[in-house]
Amino acid sequence: MTFTATRTALTAALLSSVAFGAAAEDYTITVWAGGSGDNATYRWEAIEMAADLMEREAAVRGEELTITVESQAWTGWDDFKQAFTLASEADNAPDIIVSGHEDIGPWSEAGLIVPIEDYVFFDSYPLNTIYPNLIDVATFNGQIWGIPQDAEARVMYWSIPALEAIGWSADEIDSLPDRIASGEFTLYDMLDAVKKMQDAGVLEANMGFAPRVSNGPDYWQFYQSFGGEMADEESGKLVVDTEALKGTYQFFVDATEMGVVSGTHLGSEWDVWHQNAASGNYGAWHGGTWHYAQWTNQFGLEDFFNTVQYSLIPAGNDAGRANSITHPLVYLVTSAASEDEAVIAAELIAKASTPEINALHAVKSAHLAISEDETTVPLYAENRWLAAASERLAPSTNAIPNNSDFGVYWTAMFDGLEAAWTGVSSVDDAVAEVETTVKQALGDDVIIR
């Protein structure tokens, strides 16, 4: 992909005033980050490091530049997004916001963010090193709105001791990821395996399979496992594939009826889920690459590579494929920033995206690199989990669409899953409700198959 620098003349003039002006310059840049726990502090600390670097570069040029970075973080998403929306309405939103790429569509259409391509050069270091597919994730309606802050893959994890306890050989365990990637080993093979673990007394009832306990991009992986497509590649319209939805919902209904997961699993406590995963109490469970850091740093998992196997999410049937969804967070410049603050904010984001700085976040939080150059940074290259995940999982990832209407579909899809899983609705009725809801909301902007 060739990127074109589109910085405006006004922006160029403002940059010039920062880089070459004689007068002392003082700026305060505010940064808000969502979904950021103790392992993700570099989402804003990287901006602080970039500010220090910009100040030092100015000093070398004989200029006076002071940048104060004020940051605020939320561990969850709902409160964070509500806070940003309210702050935008009150004209006191931050200059930089770190959020999921799916927010680009609605926030750009609402005028809450500005296209970052107006302020930085994507054909210059370090932005020219970022993976093109991640730049695509930060693009909406032909404009680049953000810069990827991290990348990830979502993973099916397996208990090696539990597999051994039901008679699996070392070769069978070692070859499992390849058999899943080829489609030979499916989601229903997984249910059979974890049911054997329970029947053998290796695991307690309802502990064979432990899906994510709340809504998230993860459940779209199962939709893809049954052949679902989220958006039409040619038209960009959202796609409701009713057969893929039926396959997805029926899979979780079948898992519940087999007794390998509870009908009340959704809504369970995250800490309980993490502790069980780290303690080897599940047969198979799905999560993110970043959970490795939580389990090893906070939940006592000491021997990951000898006790946990990891793979793509298996295919569900012949129509589907083994897959993984990546959900990069992106740095965005908000429309609350003045033009000169936006210039400074964009430059800080670009500097924070250098391989060495981003590697600090990747290793601390167990996220994947945003560029090939970053994978060669010794801190990253020497991390066994990141190297393994980058090789086995990252090449098979795709992202949810940057479509401003996707939230409607996402909510309806998860509501249908929950209704079928808990027995409130039949699978057919749940799928019909999704179709009706999305069609009524989006009309001709959605394709029903």
Side-chain angles (χ1 to χ4, degrees):
M1 174 181 291
T2 300
F3 300 115
T4 302
T6 56
R7 185 170 54 179
T8 64
L10 174 60
T11 299
L14 287 165
L15 263 179
S16 178
S17 74
V18 172
F20 305 107
E25 301 279 358
D26 291 281
Y27 296 93
T28 297
I29 301 296
T30 50
V31 185
W32 286 8
S36 300
D38 294 340
N39 294 322
T41 58
Y42 275 106
R43 284 185 175 138
W44 58 91
E45 290 174 348
I47 298 296
E48 295 169 356
M49 294 174 69
D52 180 65
L53 180 58
M54 282 188 69
E55 289 176 346
R56 290 173 183 270
E57 289 176 346
V60 168
R61 292 193 298 264
E63 301 160 2
E64 293 185 41
L65 173 64
T66 301
I67 303 174
T68 302
V69 177
E70 297 180 348
S71 59
Q72 190 170 352
W74 283 255
T75 56
W77 287 108
D78 290 344
D79 290 347
F80 161 73
K81 293 184 182 185
Q82 183 181 33
F84 175 59
T85 301
L86 293 174
S88 297
E89 291 173 355
D91 293 327
N92 61 3
D95 303 303
I96 298 172
I97 194 155
V98 190
S99 193
H101 70 91
E102 72 278 7
D103 293 319
I104 290 175
W107 286 353
S108 61
E109 290 188 346
L112 303 185
I113 57 175
V114 296
I116 202 165
E117 69 173 23
D118 287 350
Y119 299 94
V120 292
F121 292 107
F122 278 90
D123 53 2
S124 298
Y125 181 86
L127 303 186
N128 62 352
T129 69
I130 295 177
Y131 291 123
N133 65 325
L134 292 182
I135 298 295
D136 290 343
V137 168
T139 301
F140 179 67
N141 280 346
Q143 288 183 295
I144 305 173
W145 291 83
I147 293 177
Q149 192 274 323
D150 62 19
E152 63 192 30
R154 286 157 198 263
V155 191
M156 186 69 80
Y157 294 102
W158 307 78
S159 167
I160 291 176
L163 291 170
E164 292 173 336
I166 60 171
W168 280 41
S169 68
D171 285 344
E172 288 175 309
I173 295 171
D174 288 344
S175 67
L176 179 60
D178 289 338
R179 287 186 286 139
I180 288 173
S182 69
E184 174 189 343
F185 192 97
T186 69
L187 285 171
Y188 278 94
D189 292 324
M190 180 199 71
L191 293 186
D192 290 340
V194 299
K195 183 65 165 58
K196 287 180 182 177
M197 296 173 190
Q198 291 188 181
D199 291 345
V202 179
L203 303 175
E204 296 180 6
N206 293 320
M207 298 292 276
F209 175 44
R212 177 188 173 95
V213 301
S214 64
N215 194 2
D218 307 55
Y219 285 106
W220 291 101
Q221 296 170 135
F222 295 88
Y223 174 72
Q224 294 185 146
S225 290
F226 286 95
E229 184 182 21
M230 291 180 279
D232 179 66
E233 188 171 343
E234 185 173 340
S235 67
K237 291 183 177 181
L238 298 176
V239 175
V240 177
D241 185 324
T242 55
E243 287 304 311
L245 276 180
K246 287 179 183 178
T248 303
Y249 292 178
Q250 189 62 54
F251 166 74
F252 285 97
V253 170
D254 291 341
T256 303
E257 291 179 350
M258 291 173 68
V260 298
V261 63
S262 167
T264 60
H265 178 80
L266 289 174
S268 301
E269 292 292 332
W270 270 111
D271 281 353
V272 174
W273 183 86
H274 280 301
Q275 191 60 66
N276 279 319
S279 301
N281 294 334
Y282 298 138
W285 64 103
H286 67 87
T289 49
W290 67 94
H291 286 147
Y292 170 89
Q294 292 174 268
W295 298 333
T296 56
N297 295 332
Q298 292 145 25
F299 289 93
L301 178 55
E302 296 181 348
D303 192 11
F304 177 85
F305 288 99
N306 287 319
T307 59
V308 179
Q309 181 59 287
Y310 52 96
S311 71
L312 299 170
I313 307 299
N317 57 20
D318 290 341
R321 59 183 170 85
N323 70 97
S324 172
I325 284 182
T326 183
H327 180 239
L329 298 197
V330 288
Y331 283 120
L332 302 168
V333 177
T334 78
S335 55
S338 65
E339 193 63 20
D340 53 345
E341 289 169 340
V343 171
I344 294 293
E347 286 297 307
L348 290 174
I349 292 170
K351 281 185 163 48
S353 304
T354 56
E356 290 78 8
I357 293 180
N358 195 268
L360 295 169
H361 168 73
V363 173
K364 184 177 180 181
S365 66
H367 279 84
L368 302 183
I370 61 172
S371 69
E372 186 70 29
D373 287 10
E374 187 177 334
T375 66
T376 67
V377 174
L379 178 68
Y380 187 99
E382 294 167 0
N383 184 286
R384 182 178 175 183
W385 171 238
L386 294 182
S390 296
E391 178 181 354
R392 182 179 298 178
L393 305 170
S396 298
T397 61
N398 64 290
I400 59 178
N402 277 347
N403 185 309
S404 57
D405 294 324
F406 189 63
V408 173
Y409 184 15
W410 190 345
T411 299
M413 186 273 198
F414 187 74
D415 287 347
L417 173 65
E418 191 169 28
W421 190 333
T422 58
V424 171
S425 298
S426 68
V427 167
D428 286 344
D429 286 348
V431 172
E433 181 64 24
V434 174
E435 180 180 348
T436 300
T437 301
V438 178
K439 185 67 178 175
Q440 285 180 343
L442 305 183
D444 292 337
D445 290 332
V446 63
I447 298 170
I448 308 291
R449 291 176 180 164

